Amino acid sequence: MRDTRKQSFDYALSDEGSGLYTYRSEIRRYGIKPSVVAVHLGECLWSDIRELDEGAARSLYDLVYWQHAGCLDLSRGLDYFVFDTGLVFEPATAFRWIEQITGELGRRAAEALNDLGIEAALRGVEFYRRRRLRVDPLWPVLGVEWSNRCNRAKTRALKMANAKVLETA
């Protein structure tokens, strides 16, 4: 299976941008939250995020967001969509949704999600993603952008999955 991390990280950098911003009182850069990094790698201060460069962001995407959302065990395309979901909502939340969709725990959840097929698996994760967004108090203001991001991620994921089919043909 061809690794899609570089392409996935390129998309994330494009969507998130390099500027500092705050959301729910937490500073972010490249979509990376200090609290998420701290959970997985130890202490992380807002100043660490402020000084973050693109290379370090890619490393954190891999170490924190890709691995902890279970993307290593997912099929091509689906791995990107779950990674993007983890970047938006936190990796643990993305993986918990996988477990809820499949009724399995741990690595078996990722295997079961793959077994659903790309279309059904994407719909399952997308359902949880959109449901969480719609109950957010900022939905009236940011709902259009959030929906656009989800749509872009799903379209990209399907293209990645279809590229796999073309490579094996």
Side-chain angles (χ1 to χ4, degrees), residues 33-58:
K33 294 175 19 178
S35 62
V36 172
V37 174
V39 165
H40 298 288
L41 300 179
E43 186 178 16
C44 180
L45 305 172
W46 70 268
S47 58
D48 298 330
I49 298 298
R50 188 182 64 208
E51 302 301 321
L52 199 64
D53 65 12
E54 188 176 309
R58 287 177 183 275

Side-chain angles (χ1 to χ4, degrees), residues 123-137:
R123 273 194 311 272
V125 177
E126 179 186 23
F127 168 79
Y128 281 94
R129 188 172 172 157
R130 289 185 189 277
R131 185 175 78 172
R132 168 70 68 84
L133 290 172
R134 285 189 183 118
V135 298
D136 192 292

Side-chain angles (χ1 to χ4, degrees), residues 24-157:
R24 298 203 182 275
S25 303
E26 187 166 34
I27 194 167
R28 293 183 184 200
R29 186 169 196 171
Y30 301 108
I32 296 170
K33 294 175 19 178
S35 62
V36 172
V37 174
V39 165
H40 298 288
L41 300 179
E43 186 178 16
C44 180
L45 305 172
W46 70 268
S47 58
D48 298 330
I49 298 298
R50 188 182 64 208
E51 302 301 321
L52 199 64
D53 65 12
E54 188 176 309
R58 287 177 183 275
S59 294
L60 288 173
Y61 283 165
D62 188 25
L63 291 172
V64 176
Y65 292 88
W66 191 267
Q67 293 182 25
H68 291 281
C71 299
L72 291 170
D73 298 319
L74 296 174
S75 62
R76 184 184 170 116
L78 187 54
D79 56 0
Y80 163 67
F81 194 73
V82 170
F83 161 73
D84 189 67
T85 301
L87 193 57
V88 173
F89 298 102
E90 297 187 11
T93 300
F95 197 75
R96 186 175 63 248
W97 290 345
I98 292 171
E99 292 176 331
Q100 290 173 345
I101 291 164
T102 62
E104 299 287 344
L105 298 175
R107 291 188 89 147
R108 287 187 304 203
E111 293 168 7
L113 193 67
N114 286 330
D115 291 344
L116 291 176
I118 187 72
E119 292 278 347
L122 287 174
R123 273 194 311 272
V125 177
E126 179 186 23
F127 168 79
Y128 281 94
R129 188 172 172 157
R130 289 185 189 277
R131 185 175 78 172
R132 168 70 68 84
L133 290 172
R134 285 189 183 118
V135 298
D136 192 292
L138 292 174
W139 175 258
V141 177
L142 298 172
V144 172
E145 177 54 35
W146 290 342
S147 290
N148 288 343
R149 175 149 181 181
C150 189
N151 293 339
R152 276 193 312 270
K154 187 175 180 183
T155 300
R156 292 169 178 166

